[in-house]
Amino acid sequence: MQQVQGILAIPGAAMALQLLGSLGAILVLAWLARKLGLGGDPRIKSEDHARALAEEAICGFDAQAVCIDRAGIGALLRDAHDRVLLIRQHGSHFAARQISSHAGVRLDSRFLTIATDDRHFGTVTLDLGDQAQVWAASLRRLGGAPA
C-alpha cells in the first residue's frame, strides 16, 4: 500500500514543478517585454517630451510653440521657420509628419482634425481645448493643397 501512495505523490510533485516553471516563464516574459518597451499606453507627458519627439523626427526642429492633446495622444509643434509638425501615437511609439497645407484641417469646437498628405499616417483628431481655434487659424497660413 505504501508503494501505491508513493506513486501517487510523484505526479503531484511533477504538477507543482510544472506550475512553478510556467509561472517563472511568464514572469521572465513580462520582464523582457517591459525591458524592450513593448505594450503599454505611451502618452506625451509634457512640452519638453513633445520637443524631444520633434527633434527625433526632424533633426534641428526647434519648437517655438507646442500644443498637446488633452489625452496626450498627439501634439502640434511650430518652429521658427513656420514649419508645423504633427506628432501622434502609433502603437507603443510616436510618429510625426510635417504639415504642408491646411487642406486636410477641420475645426469642430475644441477638436482639430488633421489629414496629412501621407495616407498611411491617417487622420488625427486632437482635443486641443481653447487652443484648437488658435491652431486652426495659424494653419491657414500654410496655404492650400500642395502642388
Side-chain angles (χ1 to χ4, degrees), residues 8-62:
L8 292 177
I10 292 173
M15 284 179 54
L17 281 175
Q18 184 179 10
L19 178 67
L20 286 174
S22 296
L23 183 59
I26 290 170
L27 292 174
V28 167
L29 287 175
W31 173 82
L32 185 61
R34 184 169 180 90
K35 195 76 170 164
L36 293 173
L38 303 175
D41 188 20
R43 303 294 172 132
I44 299 174
K45 297 165 188 66
S46 65
E47 286 189 7
D48 288 337
H49 185 207
R51 283 185 172 94
L53 291 169
E55 172 64 29
E56 250 179 57
I58 299 177
C59 185
F61 191 94
D62 184 23

Side-chain angles (χ1 to χ4, degrees), residues 69 73-74 86 106 108 111-114 123-128:
D69 173 84
I73 62 168
L86 170 63
R106 191 175 76 243
D108 181 18
F111 297 97
L112 194 60
T113 301
I114 303 168
T123 300
V124 181
T125 300
L126 302 174
D127 181 356
L128 302 179

Side-chain angles (χ1 to χ4, degrees), residues 99-106 113 115 136-146:
I99 306 298
S100 57
S101 125
H102 75 275
V105 177
R106 191 175 76 243
T113 301
S138 72
L139 291 176
R140 285 191 207 108
R141 286 184 272 166
L142 294 177

Side-chain angles (χ1 to χ4, degrees), residues 52-106:
L53 291 169
E55 172 64 29
E56 250 179 57
I58 299 177
C59 185
F61 191 94
D62 184 23
Q64 304 297 310
V66 179
C67 190
I68 302 171
D69 173 84
R70 289 177 151 193
I73 62 168
L76 282 171
L77 300 94
R78 181 184 314 280
D79 72 357
H81 305 289
D82 275 341
R83 295 183 298 175
V84 176
L85 189 66
L86 170 63
I87 299 175
R88 67 170 277 208
Q89 192 178 36
H90 182 72
S92 63
H93 301 285
F94 291 95
R97 294 293 183 274
Q98 187 171 337
I99 306 298
S100 57
S101 125
H102 75 275
V105 177
R106 191 175 76 243

